[in-house]
Amino acid sequence: MKNTISQRVADFLKNFPPFNGLKDDDLQHLSEQITIIYQEKDSIIFTEKELGHDHFYVIHKGAVSLSRKTNNTIVDMCDEGDIFGLRPLMANENYELEAKAHEESILYAIPIAIFKPLALHNTAVGNFLIESFASNTRNPYSKNHRGKLYSDSTESDKNTSELPLVDLQPVHYSKKIISCGPRTTVKKAAEIMTTKRVGAIVIVKDLLPIGIITDKDLRNKIVTGDYPITTAVSKIMTTPVITYPKNLTITQAQMAMMKSNISHLCLTKDGTVDTKLVGILSKHDIMVALGNNPAVLIKAIKRAKKVKHLKPVRKSIMGLLQGYLASNIPMTLITKIISELNDACLKQVIKISLEKMETKPPVKFAWLTLGSQGRSEQMLHTDQDNALIFEDVSEEMLPKTTTYFLAFSTLVTQGLNEIGYEYCPAEMMASNPQWCLSFSEWKKTTSHWIINPGVDEVLLSSIFFDYNLVYGDVSLVAGLSEHIFYTVKKYPIFFVHLAKGALQNPSPTGFFRKFLVEQDGAHKDTFDVKSRALRPLTDAARVLILSHSIKSINNTAERFEKLAELEPNNKEIYMACSYASKALLKFRTKQGLANNDSGRYIALNNLSKEEKIKLKRTFKTIKEIQELVTLRFQLKSM
Amino acid sequence: MFQFFKKNKAELPQFWKDYELKFKDKMSDDLEDKTFCVLDTETTGFDYSKDRILCIGAINLRQRRIEIKDGYEVFIVQQVYGKDAAPIHGILKNSLIPRLSELEALEQFVNYVGNSIIIAHHAIFDLNMINNALLRNGLPELKNTYLDTSHLYKKTIIKSNLITKKEHYTLDELADKFTISKKDRHTAMGDAYITAILFLKILNKLQESGKKVTLKDLLK
């Protein structure tokens, strides 16, 4: 029987092949027979060699990894709308791969008994299946050429799991062609290019490409004053255009561009100027096809108009991180690059959210990241901690202004959640009224923490005082920092409490230099690298650097380097701390990438002897810095 | 009193006697063995005595699976009609959806729910509505164990002095928190589906700390 949910399922499925080829009635009927399954993260859907289920699966929400157990390689990562586990059912074989929920996922299980006759009687569906099963060489870099149906065949996977010959892959070009007529003014054309954020515009007459204008043409011919901006584009365009057929390989495209010294290729139906324009290929597209590099990713981030466009970019950033770690690039550099990219994502989410608001912000504001993000130490997707400051307004305007910024912050935090940042379990987010305050309110709040340093207040300040401006007005943040230093000077006892907080996590080794491991819970017998090793260092760095009244440096390793400069007599220990914090961060990041989690808990059994020694070496440093803090703030006598 | 009850029992319709029989066997405490009935009602308003149920939507949840064809949706003919609620659920008094009398709908529902554990958001409201309808038709109250997702959510909030727990959390609020699509909000079955996903996500969160969660833990 048709019901609300079966209709919703049908609405979802009809956007994806092969279901888009089904008749409405058939799709409705099929949807009524579907089972909706909730898979928690890391749960197994089917294993290698397992007998085929009665269903195949479509991902509604989340992601599923298909992997081969024998060599532990992920063969494929399926996203929303992707199908998996169908081929073995069609061929009556057992599963050849293991399917595991990479994220918390919701799946639609579609009964093969009902789907098979539909597929056999419907040419559109049948053809899609044949094509997907046959085209075993799918290009992992080009989403466009990626069959939506994942084969489970061993042979095909060999091609994809080893690095394919990228050069000979077909390129992914943009089908959305930005064009204008020959009589358009240059000014208008430039406006179109700006709003569409492209570097070239094609001049089209009767659907045929007759010329092209690039940023370079505008610079060379207009900005120099040779032509007025009211000139028709046909006067300055490069003509004729260089055209190619659409099934160009990456290498061919690169060579074509080098040969003619141009940055854009027009792709037409048969490759000549006399047929319809089907796409345009830029140098940027080639860079993307060649793989990930930070410049390309930054560009992709800035081009994103919707939050969901950022999701694949975030995945690429993780890929980049993995590559950097594998090639042993210095951690300082890795942190810089990855933080820049994460920061760019954040800024873009904020920009997109601002555009979603009906009105412009009533006053200036500043968006702050706190905690590890504020310290640029967040490599993996962890929780989001953030806050918002807005300019002071009159008392009667305050409620209205607060409401505006709360609504805005809610949009941003939702956006961040969508791209992989979990909500902060302690609600330290700008969408919480306590973390979205006016300048004066923030001054009051921080004063309260400093003057009454109880356990909660010290904890709050230790998270908040690592704030970092991501977006908005710099003077608000500078003003707040100034206020904080002014207040702590008046109440120096605050440092003593902050220092005491820094010593709450004792040295990580116990008797006989054994690791202290978790006693119970889900993480029993694992080592909590975050709270036992990283946090003592971070906390020590914070209290020491703040006691020198320095707010501009947030990163723990950099703070220690600055301290080494400020106190030459302690240089040795500070440099050791700087090194230790980098080493531990790298450790945690690697662990997190390997286990698809935050990397916080380390199973000691999985560590090599060398790794254990490395880890223990940092513990000695932690002990020394804790002793230094004890002495400096005279905590022994308290 | 006992006498009255006994006499009354003899007059109960067959379907009710069948329903009561389903509760004879003691249930295990393992959540994996359980069938949950996630439900939501659309009503003419919020007054238990004056207002009436217009629609009951429910889905069965077993081992984290929802079979779409097992979904249950029934519209009820009512003489009472709340103008204020109509814009929310969109059920008009004389619309063409096939509808049952209250007693017919209750019989169907009681057969459907059996001895499964009822889950609803602010469950007390839906249960009171249903129990009042049963009472009007000379029937006793539902015997099912029930869980309230609004209450369960509070168990996931970490213990910290920094967070002030609210008394109530709306379904909208929690759907946002857990990024669940709100497309079918305010249809009984759509809300039941959102509640089911919410329940699964809450359960997942509770199990994150590694402990096996039993029914007893949830009922606490």
Side-chain angles (χ1 to χ4, degrees), chain A residues 55-56 83 98 120 137-138 141 148 186 219 246 252 270 280-281 295 299 384 389 421 457 464 498 519 535 559 578 590:
Chain A
H55 306 85
F56 66 97
I83 289 179
E98 178 186 271
L120 297 177
T137 48
R138 67 175 183 78
Y141 291 101
K148 282 283 179 189
V186 173
R219 184 174 74 223
K246 63 177 177 183
Q252 276 174 320
D270 71 354
I280 188 158
L281 182 73
K299 210 163 172 184
Q384 44 171 308
I389 315 177
Y421 290 103
E457 285 76 15
F464 184 79
L498 200 58
Q519 296 301 322
R535 183 156 329 130
R559 276 176 171 169
S578 170
K590 273 188 169 171

Side-chain angles (χ1 to χ4, degrees), chain B residues 124-138:
Chain B
I124 270 294
F125 173 76
D126 301 283
L127 287 173
N128 273 338
M129 274 329 257
I130 295 172
N131 282 334
N132 273 303
L134 288 167
L135 194 72
R136 271 198 301 280
N137 290 280

Side-chain angles (χ1 to χ4, degrees), chain B residues 112-131:
Chain B
Y112 176 81
V113 73
N115 64 352
S116 45
I117 294 159
I118 291 177
I119 299 175
H121 198 73
H122 297 143
I124 270 294
F125 173 76
D126 301 283
L127 287 173
N128 273 338
M129 274 329 257
I130 295 172
N131 282 334

Side-chain angles (χ1 to χ4, degrees), chain A residues 421-574:
Chain A
Y421 290 103
E422 293 279 323
Y423 289 119
C424 170
E427 302 266 336
M428 289 179 200
M429 297 183 288
S431 51
N432 175 348
Q434 285 161 0
W435 295 86
C436 178
L437 302 173
S438 74
F439 183 62
S440 307
E441 288 172 322
W442 269 120
K443 285 214 289 203
K444 225 191 269 165
T445 306
T446 47
S447 297
H448 174 79
W449 291 341
I450 294 166
I451 299 168
N452 312 290
V455 177
D456 292 343
E457 285 76 15
V458 167
L459 180 65
L460 286 167
S461 6
S462 69
I463 294 164
F464 184 79
F465 288 0
D466 290 337
Y467 58 77
N468 189 25
L469 174 71
V470 180
Y471 190 97
D473 187 67
V474 114
S475 62
L476 288 171
V477 185
L480 186 62
S481 300
E482 205 176 299
H483 167 78
I484 288 172
F485 284 124
Y486 173 77
T487 317
V488 290
K489 276 223 176 82
K490 280 207 309 205
Y491 298 91
I493 189 80
F494 174 71
F495 282 123
V496 177
H497 289 278
L498 200 58
K500 233 165 74 183
L503 299 180
Q504 257 169 15
N505 293 291
S507 165
T509 41
F511 236 40
F512 301 118
R513 303 193 59 214
K514 261 166 87 184
F515 283 93
L516 284 180
V517 292
E518 300 311 299
Q519 296 301 322
D520 44 38
H523 306 289
K524 192 168 185 308
D525 294 331
T526 61
F527 178 72
D528 180 349
V529 71
K530 180 186 172 187
S531 62
R532 292 205 188 266
L534 278 162
R535 183 156 329 130
L537 285 171
T538 315
D539 286 347
R542 181 185 310 110
V543 65
L544 289 164
I545 202 89
L546 288 179
S547 70
H548 280 285
S549 293
I550 290 173
K551 177 66 196 93
S552 52
I553 306 172
N554 278 352
N555 184 273
T556 303
E558 285 175 29
R559 276 176 171 169
F560 279 121
E561 276 160 40
K562 182 75 190 174
L563 284 166
E565 195 187 304
L566 292 168
E567 302 173 25
N569 52 331
N570 289 322
K571 187 174 174 195
E572 208 172 308
I573 172 156
Y574 287 145

Side-chain angles (χ1 to χ4, degrees), chain A residues 245-512:
Chain A
K246 63 177 177 183
N247 46 357
L248 205 64
T249 67
I250 292 172
T251 310
Q252 276 174 320
Q254 261 180 316
M255 288 177 49
M257 285 183 189
M258 281 195 287
K259 207 167 68 189
S260 321
N261 194 21
I262 50 172
S263 56
H264 292 80
L265 297 179
C266 290
L267 306 179
T268 59
K269 219 168 167 192
D270 71 354
T272 70
V273 283
D274 302 322
T275 51
K276 203 182 148 209
L277 185 65
V278 291
I280 188 158
L281 182 73
S282 68
K283 256 188 191 160
H284 171 73
D285 294 328
I286 293 183
M287 300 256 282
V288 173
L290 282 173
N292 303 324
N293 82 42
V296 175
L297 289 175
I298 288 271
K299 210 163 172 184
I301 292 169
K302 290 200 170 150
R303 275 188 181 177
K305 289 208 183 81
K306 285 184 179 163
V307 170
K308 71 172 177 207
H309 298 157
L310 287 169
K311 221 179 154 185
V313 182
R314 293 274 304 164
K315 276 198 180 130
S316 306
I317 296 176
M318 286 299 119
L320 193 66
L321 175 60
Q322 211 147 15
Y324 283 166
L325 286 169
S327 33
N328 247 331
I329 288 169
M331 200 60 198
T332 327
L333 196 65
I334 301 182
T335 1
K336 282 241 162 72
I337 296 171
I338 301 296
S339 309
E340 280 299 326
L341 287 168
N342 286 343
D343 196 55
C345 281
L346 215 70
K347 279 200 174 81
Q348 198 65 18
V349 171
I350 294 173
K351 272 187 204 153
I352 294 169
S353 306
L354 271 178
E355 273 161 32
K356 271 196 209 155
M357 295 297 289
E358 268 163 29
T359 53
K360 287 227 159 69
V363 287
K364 284 187 202 155
F365 73 95
W367 183 273
L368 307 178
T369 50
L370 315 173
S372 61
Q373 235 179 343
R375 291 192 302 272
S376 308
E377 283 164 12
Q378 195 172 63
M379 302 287 104
L380 303 160
H381 304 204
T382 49
D383 299 342
Q384 44 171 308
D385 303 291
N386 42 50
L388 188 141
I389 315 177
F390 54 88
E391 216 177 1
D392 279 331
V393 290
S394 64
E395 209 168 302
E396 56 272 23
M397 286 307 286
L398 187 60
K400 220 177 136 195
T401 317
T402 309
T403 311
Y404 177 92
F405 283 111
L406 275 174
F408 165 67
S409 302
T410 307
L411 277 180
V412 178
T413 49
Q414 275 173 0
L416 290 174
N417 183 266
E418 202 180 325
I419 65 170
Y421 290 103
E422 293 279 323
Y423 289 119
C424 170
E427 302 266 336
M428 289 179 200
M429 297 183 288
S431 51
N432 175 348
Q434 285 161 0
W435 295 86
C436 178
L437 302 173
S438 74
F439 183 62
S440 307
E441 288 172 322
W442 269 120
K443 285 214 289 203
K444 225 191 269 165
T445 306
T446 47
S447 297
H448 174 79
W449 291 341
I450 294 166
I451 299 168
N452 312 290
V455 177
D456 292 343
E457 285 76 15
V458 167
L459 180 65
L460 286 167
S461 6
S462 69
I463 294 164
F464 184 79
F465 288 0
D466 290 337
Y467 58 77
N468 189 25
L469 174 71
V470 180
Y471 190 97
D473 187 67
V474 114
S475 62
L476 288 171
V477 185
L480 186 62
S481 300
E482 205 176 299
H483 167 78
I484 288 172
F485 284 124
Y486 173 77
T487 317
V488 290
K489 276 223 176 82
K490 280 207 309 205
Y491 298 91
I493 189 80
F494 174 71
F495 282 123
V496 177
H497 289 278
L498 200 58
K500 233 165 74 183
L503 299 180
Q504 257 169 15
N505 293 291
S507 165
T509 41
F511 236 40
F512 301 118

Side-chain angles (χ1 to χ4, degrees), chain A residues 170-183:
Chain A
V171 292
H172 170 48
Y173 55 91
S174 43
K175 287 181 188 143
K176 277 191 192 141
I177 304 154
I178 311 302
S179 64
C180 64
R183 266 180 287 171

